[in-house]
Amino acid sequence: MSPEPTSALILLNLPPSILCGINLLTFTTTPTFLGIKALPVGLHFLFTSPSPSLSLRDGFWFHIRPPSNPSSLSVLFRKWSPEEERLVHCCASEGQDYVTANGGWKEIYDKHLTPYRQTAGSESHVAKDDKEGVWDSITSHITPSILTRFAKSEGWTISSASSGVQDRDEIPGLSREEVRGEIGEERELGMLGIDLKRTWREGAVGRERTEGARDRSWLLQDLSERHQGTGEAGARAIEESDDDSGEGWGGVILGQMEICFLMVLTLANYSCLEEWKRILALVLTCETSVRDKSRFFASFLRLLKRQLERTDDIEGGLFDMSDDGGAFLKVLLKGFKRTLGQIGESKEEEDGIEDVKEEFGELEKWVRDQYKWELGDDFVRNGMLELEDGEMVEMETEEMEGEDESGEYAPVVVDL
């Protein structure tokens, strides 16, 4: 994104001392704050909350387009609704009247709009952060068409309570209408429809079902083809990148992964966290498609590393990354490493997934340095231990049985 000083977002009647955030920066509003200026071209996300503490948050995506006339001022308006305690749509005429009543454009632009930034540091630090393109690197596959499908509205509004159908809690004895009356209207999100309990084609039987359960490549292929119509722009995002696939396969899946992660980061949205985890569980349990779509998997692993680098920004953490709490992701990464080892047994196959192995190596090194995770299978499982009195005792550990699916965690064959 390139800075455009002719773009601005003006927020009418915004109360002071509420939480406000733009992309990766959050702050508390002041009485003189009326919005943000010098917004870069591209997609942005702004959210608010009546309280600075972790509470219900509401936000919206918006798109700053390149100006047709460099001397023109491109302005978006939103106004605060005291009844709904969130920002709502505001027509241009109402915004113009507000600006006129508060001193005119120059007064508003110079004294009440803060320049866009992604850090609270000095101006030199801001320039360095913008140059590194942190926001760009974790939104490169999000497009207007993908946002429209995900948010199910042209306004692209999402809140902490927004949820996909499959993540809604059903309260016994209460209908959906009664639940809405108690907790308010939930905005439905457009999830991909990932069903990890059925990862094979309809009508499959026997061996085909078994292979589909072990290798989820069919479901990944099906999802990509099913949603490609709404993700053509996402496909182009891959195509235009120097290090991604020219065919643009899977762009909508990467775009969904980016949106969901950012909605967890900014809104603490539970449903988006579940969708993000479903995408990880799907992609990291594929085998056949790793060979066929290696550039997609390289892009996925690169994006996953960038997202994990931002997990400390999430209030309460994405999830506990200790050995116990991080088991979900650690097991998936260990399994994917074994898959890469099996695929690369021949020289021809290894050359075909070289970029995937390179990206996984970077990710493996990062989780080892950050969380002390060892993703290999080379561990001392039994041996002799010398006690304080000199006695030698043979010891055996069972700590890895859960990850290796051995011992009490081993699969059981049942005769029907």
Side-chain angles (χ1 to χ4, degrees):
M1 292 185 289
S2 59
E4 289 291 345
T6 55
S7 58
L9 174 65
I10 298 182
L11 309 174
L12 282 59
N13 305 320
L14 195 67
S17 303
I18 68 167
L19 182 70
C20 187
I22 175 74
N23 297 348
L24 300 176
L25 177 69
T26 58
F27 53 92
T28 303
T29 59
T30 64
T32 58
F33 175 76
L34 292 180
I36 301 167
K37 62 184 177 181
L39 285 159
V41 170
L43 290 164
H44 302 276
F45 183 71
L46 184 134
F47 65 94
T48 57
S49 174
S51 169
S53 62
L54 186 61
S55 59
L56 188 65
R57 299 178 179 182
D58 191 280
F60 62 94
W61 288 84
F62 62 98
H63 192 192
I64 298 296
R65 304 179 186 277
S68 56
N69 183 357
S71 61
S72 64
L73 180 64
S74 175
V75 182
L76 294 175
F77 293 99
R78 291 293 187 276
K79 65 179 179 180
W80 180 261
S81 170
E83 296 77 17
E84 301 181 46
E85 293 190 318
R86 67 184 184 95
L87 290 168
V88 298
H89 179 74
C90 174
C91 64
S93 60
E94 184 178 355
Q96 177 67 55
D97 292 341
Y98 181 88
V99 170
T100 303
N102 286 272
W105 286 109
K106 182 173 177 55
E107 177 76 12
I108 295 289
Y109 196 89
D110 293 344
K111 297 183 179 180
H112 298 284
L113 300 185
T114 183
Y116 171 83
R117 61 174 62 189
Q118 284 299 280
T119 176
S122 63
E123 291 296 330
S124 60
H125 187 190
V126 172
K128 180 176 184 296
D129 191 73
D130 286 343
K131 186 177 179 180
E132 292 173 349
V134 178
W135 176 253
D136 287 358
S137 71
I138 56 176
T139 59
S140 59
H141 300 98
I142 302 176
T143 65
S145 58
I146 292 176
L147 277 171
T148 299
R149 184 198 58 78
F150 180 79
K152 289 184 173 290
S153 69
E154 293 297 331
W156 299 342
T157 56
I158 304 171
S159 75
S160 301
S162 299
S163 176
V165 174
Q166 65 195 106
D167 299 314
R168 286 177 174 169
D169 292 329
E170 297 296 332
I171 303 177
L174 289 180
S175 65
R176 173 54 53 185
E177 290 70 24
E178 290 173 323
V179 172
R180 287 174 180 167
E182 290 294 328
I183 64 176
E185 181 69 30
E186 289 184 6
R187 274 166 267 170
E188 183 179 327
L189 299 178
M191 300 306 187
L192 293 176
I194 301 173
D195 183 3
L196 297 175
K197 295 180 180 179
R198 196 186 77 82
T199 55
W200 51 84
R201 67 174 182 85
E202 187 176 353
V205 295
R207 179 180 294 276
E208 189 177 357
R209 280 197 174 197
T210 302
E211 291 177 351
R214 294 168 58 94
D215 176 6
R216 291 167 169 166
S217 296
W218 177 87
L219 180 57
L220 183 65
Q221 177 78 29
D222 178 65
L223 285 172
S224 182
E225 293 177 354
R226 195 191 320 160
H227 295 287
Q228 200 66 40
T230 58
E232 292 175 357
R236 288 197 298 273
I238 300 180
E239 184 174 354
E240 294 167 0
S241 178
D242 293 335
D243 56 356
D244 283 319
S245 171
E247 61 188 357
W249 188 89
V252 68
I253 296 175
L254 296 177
Q256 184 92 348
M257 179 179 170
E258 289 177 344
I259 295 174
C260 288
F261 178 81
L262 290 169
M263 295 304 92
V264 177
L265 185 70
T266 56
L267 304 180
N269 185 288
Y270 167 78
S271 186
C272 289
L273 174 59
E274 292 302 301
E275 177 79 346
W276 183 81
K277 291 167 69 175
R278 283 191 291 265
I279 293 174
L280 264 59
L282 169 62
V283 177
L284 292 174
T285 51
C286 291
E287 180 176 341
T288 305
S289 55
V290 177
R291 292 187 289 263
D292 301 335
K293 307 294 182 183
S294 61
R295 291 189 176 182
F296 164 80
F297 281 87
S299 299
F300 169 85
L301 293 170
R302 190 180 309 117
L303 173 59
L304 178 58
K305 178 176 177 290
R306 289 169 181 167
Q307 290 182 339
L308 292 179
E309 290 171 348
R310 310 298 306 187
T311 54
D312 288 342
D313 298 342
I314 300 177
E315 295 186 52
L318 186 63
F319 41 72
D320 183 8
M321 288 297 186
S322 64
D323 280 341
D324 292 333
F328 162 77
L329 180 57
K330 186 178 179 182
V331 169
L332 288 174
L333 292 177
K334 290 190 68 173
F336 191 73
K337 182 176 182 177
R338 284 194 293 267
T339 297
L340 292 180
Q342 295 167 0
I343 295 175
E345 289 179 350
S346 68
K347 183 67 169 64
E348 181 179 352
E349 287 183 333
E350 185 174 5
D351 292 342
I353 62 169
E354 184 177 354
D355 52 345
V356 183
K357 285 194 168 185
E358 181 179 345
E359 293 297 339
F360 186 83
E362 292 291 326
L363 177 59
E364 181 179 22
K365 179 180 183 301
W366 190 86
V367 297
R368 183 190 302 118
D369 295 342
Q370 192 73 14
Y371 305 125
K372 311 303 180 186
W373 288 359
E374 292 295 339
L375 303 181
D377 293 322
D378 300 328
F379 295 94
V380 176
R381 300 174 188 275
N382 57 66
M384 302 302 295
L385 177 67
E386 183 177 1
L387 302 180
E388 293 181 356
D389 59 2
E391 180 183 0
M392 301 296 292
V393 180
E394 185 176 2
M395 304 290 291
E396 181 175 358
T397 180
E398 299 178 351
E399 291 183 1
M400 306 305 296
E401 288 184 350
E403 297 182 10
D404 294 341
E405 295 184 345
S406 59
E408 65 174 302
Y409 300 94
V412 178
V413 177
V414 180
D415 294 326
L416 299 178

